[in-house]
Amino acid sequence: MKTKISPPLGLLLSGLLLMASCIKSPSREKTPDPGPAPETVTYDDLALKSLAIAPDANERIFGTVVFAPEASAGRWNGRISGYKADRTQLVAEFDAVAARVTVDDAEQQSGKTANDFSKPVVYRLYADDGQYKEFTAVLDNDGYTGCPVVGIVTDGQKGVTSRDVWIPGRMVIDRQEGECDELAAEIEIKGRGHNSWSRDKKPYAIKLAEKSPVMGMNKQKRWVLLANAGDRTLLRNRVAYEIGRRTQLAWTPDSRFVEVVLNGKYLGSYQLCEQIRVDKNRVDITEMTAQDIAGEALTGGYLLEVDRYYDEPNKFRTKYRDLPVNIKKPDEKVLTAGQKTYIADYINKVEELLCAGEQPDPAYRDYIDIDSFADWWIVIELCHNRDTRLPGSCYMYKERGEKLCAGPLWDFDLMTFIPSTSFLLKEYEITDFSKEGGDRSLWYKRLFADPIFAARVKERWQAYKPAFETIPAFIDAEAEKLEVSAGANWDMWTLTGNFNRDETLAWHDAVELLKKNYSDRLAWMDGQVAKL
């Protein structure tokens, strides 16, 4: 007889529990919760609560377009201003009380279904019993000027209200019907400027996530949107930079006219411009490090701005002329005490040689590049840029192992191209510096006391004059491109102040006055330079 061997008690219990877990008792099986019973949508319930077209779902829409219902039920109106949009395949977001929604019998899903908004779009909202109501969406598209569009949408469509805080977002350059290169990029944006930031129409600084060429201009990360809010013509900066580009200054900013749409709001006509930066495509000098503290490495490169605002973290005033010098590069993250001492001593040596004696010491020519100082002066005087005499936006740079150079040019929207038959800088010199913030001009009165410098100016003027004589034609060509944009801009903004003496004129008349003042100044300077 065989003996039956029983399994251990623990193993037996485990097996029973396993078997029990595999058996589902009908009485204990959990049924899915169906949720609340759907409410019946009646005809009286049917309603379109909101309708919008957002940039997240539509590539060439530069801000959310919100439709508004008319007082009479049934029609909803939306508007895209400042740029020409492709309305043929737009995805709308809507909130509706309806059993289902259709357009031309096609079922609609909010945020997913595209429709042709170049014509009225009829939304049909159905009740459960098949009755329906219709709502017609009409999307107007006006204000197209012919200029390319810079469309910017910040994260969360947050406003740009500070010159210090960068706001992340996206930027698209839409050529519209032009021929420029297009661009879609991650960016950061903030405000910029001093006097210009106080105006209603704000200027902005743009920082691309990666260096890119923009609208045919050289690759870089940093760009500015000049508002030209105080310039009736909107042309002054553009014309001045073109004059500079016809000299031999090493680099002068390039720019393009654009329309700006920020978070769906059309802001008017802007000038997308290269910003002054140390870069091989801009101010091409050595980017210094904190280790550049001895020998030739200490000699450059430095980027300086002589400016009355005197607002950079690192700055100094010169010994003889009390000029306010801002050290732009190396910046505050890099600049060492030794570097600051070197460049301050260098500038003070230039002033000593020019200003300490009754006549300039010719040795100053070992310290500055007189050709660049001649060219910078020619452009400033030809444009009659009074801001430089304060001084304002007077840039200089010094490359490693080389002389101090004048430039680049910057800031010509105010107090320029004004009628005058006198020089700004050649004969102007302030000697009483007791008043803080008083006018201080550059070294040109002393420079022109040197016959060598005066002769170089005369020589370079004669070389450039044929190119300067075609600037009025350049103004005509730019004005033709800008005409519609300028009209739209001044329909939006009010110009205040009397900086350029054309503020009360119509735009066309202001452009004609700009040309006349330039031509008169060109003729006057030609006669004066001939006497040098």
Side-chain angles (χ1 to χ4, degrees):
M1 179 177 178
K2 293 184 178 180
T3 304
K4 186 176 180 180
I5 302 175
S6 301
L9 181 59
L11 183 59
L12 179 61
L13 288 174
S14 298
L16 291 173
L17 289 172
L18 179 61
M19 291 174 63
S21 68
C22 296
I23 300 172
K24 292 186 178 180
S25 170
S27 62
R28 294 186 178 182
E29 186 173 3
K30 188 175 181 180
T31 57
D33 183 0
E39 296 181 2
T40 301
V41 178
T42 68
Y43 177 81
D44 291 336
D45 295 330
L46 296 173
L48 183 60
K49 299 170 70 175
S50 67
L51 180 65
I53 294 173
D56 288 344
N58 299 279
E59 182 180 358
R60 297 290 174 155
I61 299 298
F62 306 127
T64 301
V65 180
V66 178
F67 288 76
E70 283 189 357
S72 58
R75 179 180 168 117
W76 288 60
N77 297 312
R79 183 177 299 278
I80 297 173
S81 295
Y83 63 99
K84 186 176 182 179
D86 181 359
R87 294 174 288 165
T88 59
Q89 287 290 310
L90 294 179
V91 175
E93 299 174 357
F94 58 86
D95 184 7
V97 178
R100 64 190 184 96
V101 180
T102 67
V103 171
D104 294 332
D105 296 328
E107 294 283 345
Q108 300 293 298
Q109 294 186 59
S110 176
K112 294 184 179 180
T113 312
N115 288 294
D116 183 358
F117 280 87
S118 65
K119 57 187 179 182
V121 175
V122 179
Y123 285 88
R124 182 173 287 186
L125 278 57
Y126 284 90
D128 281 300
D129 62 4
Q131 296 187 81
Y132 61 83
K133 290 181 181 178
E134 291 185 339
F135 298 86
T136 301
V138 178
L139 180 60
D140 290 329
N141 187 192
D142 58 10
Y144 172 58
T145 68
C147 288
V149 170
V150 172
I152 298 170
V153 180
T154 60
D155 290 359
Q157 299 198 34
K158 185 176 181 180
V160 183
T161 59
S162 169
R163 293 179 298 169
D164 301 314
V165 180
W166 289 99
I167 305 298
R170 304 183 306 280
M171 180 177 79
V172 172
I173 295 178
D174 184 339
R175 72 168 64 95
Q176 297 285 281
E177 294 180 352
E179 297 179 353
C180 71
D181 295 334
E182 297 194 324
L183 178 71
E186 299 292 319
I187 67 162
E188 292 179 277
I189 180 173
K190 68 175 183 177
R192 64 166 306 277
H194 291 105
N195 174 276
S196 55
W197 182 248
S198 67
R199 294 174 176 267
D200 292 337
K201 185 186 179 190
K202 306 294 186 186
Y204 300 100
I206 300 291
K207 180 165 57 176
L208 301 180
E210 298 180 356
K211 287 186 177 182
S212 299
V214 175
M215 297 182 71
M217 295 179 281
N218 286 328
K219 181 186 294 188
Q220 234 286 335
K221 280 187 177 182
R222 300 293 286 270
W223 305 83
V224 293
L225 287 166
L226 301 177
N228 295 320
D231 177 11
R232 173 67 76 194
T233 71
L234 304 174
L235 288 163
R236 281 177 161 82
N237 273 314
R238 174 75 169 156
V239 172
Y241 296 154
E242 179 63 22
I243 294 169
R245 291 165 70 83
R246 297 184 183 194
T247 70
Q248 294 183 52
L249 288 169
W251 174 77
T252 298
D254 200 358
S255 63
R256 303 287 186 271
F257 287 117
V258 297
E259 308 299 328
V260 172
V261 180
L262 176 59
N263 291 330
K265 183 178 180 181
Y266 173 55
L267 300 185
S269 177
Y270 278 73
Q271 189 175 347
L272 177 61
C273 186
E274 294 179 315
Q275 187 181 31
I276 295 177
R277 306 293 294 181
V278 172
D279 184 87
K280 67 178 182 179
N281 289 324
R282 296 191 184 172
V283 182
D284 189 10
I285 59 177
T286 302
E287 187 90 37
M288 295 184 74
T289 71
Q291 285 69 51
D292 295 327
I293 56 175
E296 187 173 82
L298 182 60
T299 68
Y302 296 92
L303 176 63
L304 310 173
E305 181 189 18
V306 183
D307 188 85
R308 67 192 180 280
Y309 286 109
Y310 198 54
D311 58 353
E312 291 293 334
N314 289 293
K315 54 197 174 186
F316 62 91
R317 289 188 178 273
T318 60
K319 180 178 179 181
Y320 291 88
R321 299 300 315 283
D322 199 37
L323 294 176
V325 181
N326 296 293
I327 303 174
K328 307 288 283 187
K329 281 288 186 175
D331 61 23
E332 65 275 13
K333 297 177 183 178
V334 173
L335 186 74
T336 68
Q339 291 168 347
K340 181 177 180 179
T341 297
Y342 170 83
I343 193 61
D345 287 349
Y346 192 99
I347 299 300
N348 282 322
K349 183 63 176 179
V350 173
E351 277 203 345
E352 178 185 349
L353 293 170
L354 283 170
C355 305
E358 292 186 5
Q359 293 294 322
D361 185 330
Y364 85 87
R365 297 185 216 120
D366 296 331
Y367 288 82
I368 76 169
D369 178 80
I370 63 173
D371 288 347
S372 68
F373 275 82
D375 286 4
W376 189 87
W377 177 85
I378 286 171
V379 178
I380 294 300
E381 292 288 359
L382 190 50
C383 299
H384 195 74
N385 187 344
R386 295 180 63 85
D387 197 42
T388 58
R389 202 162 73 172
L390 298 176
S393 301
C394 301
Y395 283 86
M396 303 178 190
Y397 61 91
K398 185 189 178 304
E399 173 57 319
R400 182 168 295 177
E402 297 184 10
K403 300 177 184 179
L404 182 72
C405 293
L409 300 163
W410 192 250
D411 201 4
F412 287 77
D413 59 324
L414 300 180
M415 298 189 292
T416 57
F417 298 98
I418 298 170
S420 177
T421 53
S422 63
F423 285 120
L424 288 168
L425 301 178
K426 177 177 176 291
E427 297 151 358
Y428 181 81
E429 186 173 58
I430 294 294
T431 56
D432 180 7
F433 305 121
S434 59
K435 183 180 178 182
E436 179 69 22
D439 287 358
R440 291 159 170 83
S441 64
L442 300 184
W443 307 311
Y444 280 95
K445 184 172 183 178
R446 292 305 181 103
L447 286 170
F448 275 100
D450 176 15
I452 298 296
F453 181 80
R456 190 66 59 88
V457 168
K458 184 175 181 179
E459 174 186 328
R460 297 174 84 79
W461 173 266
Q462 292 300 324
Y464 300 145
K465 191 176 76 166
F468 292 160
E469 290 173 338
T470 65
I471 288 294
F474 174 81
I475 295 174
D476 284 337
E478 294 298 295
E480 183 178 357
K481 292 186 289 187
L482 195 60
E483 180 176 7
V484 179
S485 178
N489 184 83
W490 294 121
D491 283 345
M492 292 184 59
W493 302 106
T494 299
L495 193 154
T496 58
N498 191 32
F499 296 100
N500 299 319
R501 304 179 189 175
D502 59 5
E503 283 75 3
T504 61
L505 298 179
W507 180 77
H508 287 95
D509 294 336
V511 173
E512 289 302 311
L513 182 60
L514 172 65
K515 283 199 304 179
K516 180 181 185 304
N517 289 345
Y518 172 80
S519 296
D520 290 348
R521 183 72 172 174
L522 178 66
W524 180 84
M525 279 189 65
D526 191 42
Q528 296 299 309
V529 172
K531 301 174 184 177
L532 294 176

